[in-house]
Amino acid sequence: MVTEGSVYLYEALDKKVYFKEATILVPSHWKSKNVTKARTESFEKAKIRIDNANSTYGDQPYTKQYGECGTMAEYIHFTPEYLLNDAVIQLYGLRGRVFVHEWAHLRWGVYDEYNKEKPFYHSNGRIEATRCSKNIEGQFYEVTAGGSLQPCHIDPQTSLPTDKCKFFPDRNQNTNSSLMSLPSLDSVSTFCRKNEHNNKAPNLQNEKCDNKATWTVIFEDSVDKDALQTLKPLESPPPPPSFKVVQRAQRVVCLILDVSGSMEGARILQQRQAATHFLRYIIEDQASVGIVTFSTSASTLRSLTIIDSDITRETLVQLLPKRASGSTNMCLGLSQGLHVLQKDNGDVLGDEIIFLTDGQATDNIAGCAPSAIQSGAIISTIAFSNSAAQALTEMADKTGGIFFIAKDDMISNQLMDAFASLTLSTGDYTNEPVQLESVGARTSDWFNGTVSVDQTVGNKTSFVIIYETRFPSIYIQSPSGSIYTQTNMSHDGLLKTVTLNIPGTAEPGDWKYSIQTTSNQAFTITVTSQAAHDDVPPIIVKTHMNQQFSDGTKPMTVFAEVSQNYRPVINAEVWATLESETGSEHTLQLLDNGAGVVQLNPPKPPVSEEPLEVGNFTRTATGESFVVKLSGTTPPNFPPNRITDLSAEIQEDTVLLSWTAPGEDLDQGTAKSYEIRWSFDLDMLRNSFSNGHVVNTAAVSPHEAGSVEQHSFNLSFPIQNGTTLFFAVQSEDEQNAKSETSNIAQASKILHGPKPPGVSNPGMNLTVLVISLCVVIMVICFIVAVTAWAVRRRNRFV
């Protein structure tokens, strides 16, 4: 199966590239005898996933794409049924060809050259099928319920074939492209090149890649653009690749905790509170955990211990450090932690370090960090202060770990959130913790709130309340009215923590908490839960940034995704909070209004499943910290973001344009003005926007970012039948900075004649068309994830 895929890739890129070896990661809960256990692989970071079917798309392979054209995608999703059942080949195509099609999405950030939503378009007075290259020939026809063929009918509203009309390519073709359009066609073996690219087809490749050919994007814009230019063709066909099927082994984690003098007092207490939460509720059963501390010297408080019971968890909790003194010798802590990790199997490859410190190193951390990076351990670092040694970010970045900055301001709850984020998914989300709430406040009266427990969670639900000085009165009410008080909770006076563990499965609905104090003090509440049922994965939240370091020349983008068993969760309220090291906050609402969202292609055959109504729910997630270093004192002025959904329609002699409004700065605020131009020539408008014919926009006042804009106008001449026009828009802000040119929209004026133009009678030399699926989520704006999902998101500027 994959050997065939390597041959296709070898041919598609002029015999430059092939697969030599590959590792296939399967979920850890699958039972198999021929699987190698490995700690170096992570389900969340896997680029090719073999997992149970996405309930929306069935067994159809797809690639999940974020970001811009030429940017690597998130992952390819195959199902066991697709890989093992040869019958599905008739539905989805040969596995090797489909693999190369999806690989191009994944690795090179190209898009589909077909369009299930717009399968036909007008060109030079004819009806054309959306495809690449245009040299692919075929016939249009409808298939009746009995399986016979009949001529296509024309929709009078669009002057295009109706939804029942399909394009069937001829079996014998005189072209070998394109794999992004018709990978199932026998003659197709390569990607569309510039000289054969169909830049007028209304497909995602043209829309998202500025009408560039797939070949052009791969060789000029992708992550491999430099390497592909210098690679030489192989002298012979590639050998069969080797494959290794692996499962993620149980986690091995060492906590390396700072106990230097600057940690004494509130910081050492907050470290204990957060590490306790991690050991009790976050680290999974059967994982191995060790504890190391460092200051002037380093000590092992606990060698690697398997988490096999709640008693073991509490044993580790009791060993957490309570006092702090001395200097900050980070290198000693790193060395001691690596030594602890080596004890189980002689190496640290794939083992994890959670390294927490509150400041700069007394020793030369920059000198010992390289050896820690080369060890093979995954190092996540937490800077518990406003200043962090550069080596902390470097170790996390280069080992696949996560870097956090956590303020020691108690009400931020950032240290608790950082530890709660240190999970490593196995793909079985039913056994993993879900954070429902994390919030803090300072008051001398009441601290009230509501947490929604939806029907996908409820097991192992815990409310953890941390107070600053005096034990408060606490009341927690279930949806049905049952009230829990301190008598139902456990209280740790030394840890200043009150915990309510809900027995069994928590009742779904709104849980209300009320905390009363007579003294002015800070509180935080953290609520976690797990799946209510073994066969119903919970709603989960994932977050990340498009970059971890920025000099201000490129916008930072927050991605926020909420899903349930690969299905997006829609119609929820979404907020992202970004906080700087000085404590200033910037909150953004992430809108589920379809701006920049590409509708997903339907699967074959259609998958019918009732939507899961979950009611109210809450989720919180803390993203990795990121660094912005501006070269000057003035923040950069970003122009309005590029419009990507411009559409055009001609009714009689009137042109109607529609698009989503950009902002003053990318997608924030309101742009000052629009410039609209048109042309008979697509390439001219794309390459030289200023030379296009200008449209009078004096009456057009831009609306707030995310709004739907519409503008209708008449040209200075009658539009002839069969005419196709091309349109584009630029936006301008108050500083006269202009956006990039929008996608090129086209519209044709077609008057109905006695015979529909360009629709031929179906021939007999036909082949069945099989198209692969690509799931696309586009982000169009500054620090906003444009998805049909919901999440509360915390992140921090540094």
Side-chain angles (χ1 to χ4, degrees):
M1 179 275 297
V2 187
T3 300
E4 179 190 15
S6 70
V7 173
Y8 283 128
L9 184 61
Y10 166 74
E11 294 177 347
L13 289 177
D14 280 348
K15 303 182 179 180
K16 286 178 178 287
V17 177
Y18 73 97
F19 297 104
K20 183 177 180 181
E21 58 184 9
T23 299
I24 299 174
L25 182 68
V26 297
S28 61
H29 58 280
W30 285 14
K31 305 299 182 183
S32 177
K33 296 180 180 179
N34 301 316
V35 173
T36 302
K37 294 290 185 179
R39 292 178 186 156
T40 55
E41 307 297 334
S42 165
F43 185 80
E44 287 298 327
K45 296 180 180 180
K47 291 299 183 182
I48 302 175
R49 298 183 183 180
I50 300 176
D51 199 1
N52 296 329
N54 180 326
S55 57
T56 304
Y57 308 110
D59 293 307
Q60 183 163 5
Y62 67 91
T63 302
K64 187 174 183 180
Q65 281 183 275
Y66 283 169
E68 302 170 353
C69 178
T71 302
M72 285 188 64
E74 296 300 295
Y75 59 81
I76 300 172
H77 183 179
F78 292 112
T79 68
E81 181 71 9
Y82 173 77
L83 295 177
L84 299 175
N85 185 356
D86 289 343
V88 301
I89 293 176
Q90 298 299 320
L91 293 173
Y92 307 123
L94 294 173
R95 297 187 182 101
R97 290 172 176 264
V98 170
F99 184 85
V100 174
H101 175 98
E102 302 301 340
W103 177 264
H105 286 307
L106 175 74
R107 182 69 182 179
W108 299 312
V110 298
Y111 292 87
D112 288 326
E113 293 168 335
Y114 61 87
N115 190 337
K116 295 287 289 184
E117 301 299 320
K118 298 179 180 178
F120 303 101
Y121 68 102
H122 293 109
S123 178
N124 299 323
R126 289 183 55 84
I127 295 175
E128 295 284 355
T130 301
R131 66 200 190 281
C132 193
S133 74
K134 199 173 178 180
N135 295 329
I136 292 177
E137 297 180 349
Q139 307 291 331
F140 302 168
Y141 71 94
E142 294 180 5
V143 182
T144 66
S148 61
L149 309 180
Q150 67 178 25
C152 289
H153 294 83
I154 295 298
D155 185 336
Q157 298 297 320
T158 65
S159 298
L160 291 171
T162 61
D163 292 341
K164 294 181 180 180
C165 186
K166 306 297 179 185
F167 172 72
F168 273 53
D170 295 341
R171 186 174 301 277
N172 299 316
Q173 300 284 344
N174 294 320
T175 181
N176 62 354
S177 64
S178 165
L179 285 167
M180 302 312 294
S181 180
L182 295 166
S184 62
L185 207 58
D186 290 342
S187 64
V188 168
S189 61
T190 189
F191 300 106
C192 251
R193 300 170 184 268
K194 183 177 180 179
N195 62 350
E196 60 188 354
H197 177 58
N198 183 5
N199 61 3
K200 295 180 181 178
N203 55 40
L204 284 179
Q205 177 63 23
N206 284 330
E207 180 180 334
K208 303 305 178 186
C209 297
D210 197 20
N211 300 86
K212 292 181 180 179
T214 299
W215 188 272
T216 302
V217 173
I218 293 173
F219 277 80
E220 296 182 4
D221 301 326
S222 77
V223 67
D224 293 324
K225 61 183 179 181
D226 295 329
L228 287 171
Q229 296 292 345
T230 57
L231 282 178
K232 297 181 179 179
L234 299 175
E235 296 180 355
S236 60
S242 62
F243 292 89
K244 180 170 65 174
V245 180
V246 302
Q247 284 178 322
R248 171 74 193 187
Q250 294 294 343
R251 292 178 75 182
V252 177
V253 181
C254 184
L255 301 179
I256 304 179
L257 306 176
D258 189 346
V259 292
S260 62
S262 57
M263 287 287 293
E264 182 62 20
R267 286 183 176 178
I268 195 73
L269 176 60
Q270 288 185 52
Q271 179 176 259
R272 284 179 58 212
Q273 292 165 343
T276 295
H277 186 70
F278 176 80
L279 293 171
R280 283 178 176 167
Y281 303 109
I282 304 303
I283 189 69
E284 61 269 32
D285 290 337
Q286 300 305 312
S288 296
V289 178
I291 303 175
V292 166
T293 60
F294 68 93
S295 57
T296 305
S297 59
S299 303
T300 299
L301 302 187
R302 184 75 173 195
S303 58
L304 291 176
T305 302
I306 297 176
I307 305 293
D308 55 6
S309 66
D310 288 341
I311 295 175
T312 301
R313 293 178 184 271
E314 290 305 313
T315 299
L316 292 171
V317 166
Q318 295 306 314
L319 291 172
L320 292 171
K322 302 176 179 64
R323 301 298 302 272
S325 64
S327 57
T328 311
N329 289 315
M330 297 186 188
C331 290
L332 292 180
L334 274 175
S335 176
Q336 189 74 10
L338 290 169
H339 178 72
V340 167
L341 291 175
Q342 287 176 336
K343 290 293 186 178
D344 66 335
N345 63 356
D347 66 51
V348 300
L349 189 64
D351 295 347
E352 296 175 68
I353 286 174
I354 299 175
F355 188 92
L356 184 150
T357 183
D358 73 338
Q360 299 291 327
T362 304
D363 54 1
N364 183 20
I365 182 64
C368 64
S371 61
I373 292 171
Q374 294 298 320
S375 70
I378 301 169
I379 306 174
S380 292
T381 54
I382 303 174
F384 193 25
S385 67
N386 291 338
S387 61
Q390 178 63 33
L392 297 183
T393 59
E394 183 181 4
M395 286 191 295
D397 181 57
K398 292 185 176 181
T399 65
I402 304 175
F403 169 64
F404 296 101
I405 285 184
K407 293 194 309 181
D408 57 6
D409 175 20
M410 178 179 166
I411 64 174
S412 72
N413 215 28
Q414 288 176 1
L415 193 60
M416 287 280 285
D417 292 341
F419 270 94
S421 300
L422 292 169
T423 59
L424 191 67
S425 179
T426 63
D428 182 10
Y429 295 109
T430 60
N431 290 316
E432 297 175 9
V434 177
Q435 185 165 299
L436 307 185
E437 182 63 287
S438 172
V439 67
R442 177 175 292 277
T443 184
S444 57
D445 194 6
W446 286 93
F447 174 35
N448 304 314
T450 300
V451 179
S452 296
V453 177
D454 58 276
Q455 62 177 300
T456 69
V457 294
N459 284 343
K460 299 183 179 180
T461 302
S462 65
F463 291 73
V464 177
I465 297 97
I466 296 176
Y467 59 91
E468 185 177 23
T469 56
R470 298 181 60 183
F471 182 38
S473 298
I474 302 174
Y475 308 91
I476 297 178
Q477 180 177 314
S478 73
S480 61
S482 298
I483 296 178
Y484 298 85
T485 64
Q486 289 95 321
T487 58
N488 308 108
M489 306 174 192
S490 60
H491 175 220
D492 188 330
L494 294 178
L495 206 58
K496 296 184 179 178
T497 301
V498 183
T499 303
L500 172 63
N501 293 315
I502 305 298
T505 302
E507 181 183 349
D510 290 342
W511 288 71
K512 299 179 180 180
Y513 59 85
S514 298
I515 303 171
Q516 185 184 32
T517 180
T518 57
S519 61
N520 188 357
Q521 62 174 321
F523 296 97
T524 66
I525 182 167
T526 305
V527 184
T528 59
S529 188
Q530 290 192 18
H533 308 283
D534 291 340
D535 58 346
V536 180
I539 294 173
I540 60 173
V541 54
K542 301 175 185 177
T543 67
H544 72 275
M545 302 295 298
N546 67 326
Q547 52 186 331
Q548 298 308 129
F549 304 93
S550 174
D551 61 2
T553 59
K554 184 179 180 180
M556 302 292 294
T557 306
V558 178
F559 290 86
E561 171 188 344
V562 175
S563 60
Q564 191 267 335
N565 196 27
Y566 288 107
R567 294 186 298 178
V569 176
I570 61 174
N571 299 325
E573 188 173 294
V574 185
W575 293 92
T577 301
L578 297 94
E579 185 171 345
S580 73
E581 62 181 352
T582 61
S584 62
E585 291 188 357
H586 186 64
T587 301
L588 297 171
Q589 185 174 12
L590 309 186
L591 299 176
D592 182 16
N593 62 358
V597 176
V598 177
Q599 296 296 320
L600 308 184
N601 295 322
K604 304 180 296 294
V607 177
S608 177
E609 183 176 51
E610 290 296 322
L612 179 64
E613 298 291 340
V614 298
N616 294 337
F617 70 91
T618 58
R619 297 291 188 273
T620 66
T622 296
E624 185 173 2
S625 298
F626 56 92
V627 177
V628 177
K629 291 185 178 180
L630 303 179
S631 57
T633 57
T634 304
N637 173 52
F638 291 110
N641 61 277
R642 177 177 181 257
I643 295 169
T644 62
D645 61 349
L646 178 67
S647 63
E649 183 180 348
I650 296 176
Q651 298 177 353
E652 299 296 336
D653 284 330
T654 299
V655 177
L656 175 63
L657 300 182
S658 178
W659 66 94
T660 301
E664 164 76 7
D665 292 303
L666 297 168
D667 74 331
Q668 300 297 296
T670 304
K672 182 183 73 173
S673 62
Y674 295 121
E675 181 178 352
I676 303 175
R677 291 182 181 268
W678 67 272
S679 175
F680 293 106
D681 187 337
L682 183 150
D683 288 329
M684 190 280 290
L685 192 61
R686 171 177 168 248
N687 298 322
S688 184
F689 175 79
S690 61
N691 288 331
H693 301 283
V694 68
V695 174
N696 186 352
T697 58
V700 181
S701 297
H703 294 84
E704 186 178 1
S707 304
V708 175
E709 301 276 33
Q710 290 186 330
H711 180 53
S712 60
F713 56 92
N714 289 346
L715 299 178
S716 60
F717 59 90
I719 304 175
Q720 298 299 313
N721 184 35
T723 300
T724 298
L725 302 178
F726 300 93
F727 303 88
V729 181
Q730 285 186 350
S731 313
E732 189 171 307
D733 66 12
E734 293 293 342
Q735 286 73 41
N736 299 321
K738 292 187 176 182
S739 70
E740 296 180 38
T741 304
S742 70
N743 65 295
I744 307 296
Q746 60 179 293
S748 299
K749 181 177 181 179
I750 302 295
L751 299 180
H752 301 300
K755 181 179 179 180
V759 180
S760 304
N761 292 326
M764 301 305 295
N765 188 25
L766 306 175
T767 185
V768 175
L769 174 63
V770 181
I771 297 178
S772 298
L773 171 69
C774 172
V775 177
V776 183
I777 303 130
M778 288 300 299
V779 175
I780 64 169
C781 48
F782 179 49
I783 54 177
V784 171
V786 183
T787 67
W789 301 324
V791 62
R792 261 184 232 172
R793 176 72 158 76
R794 290 187 174 86
N795 231 313
R796 302 170 186 92
F797 283 106
V798 179

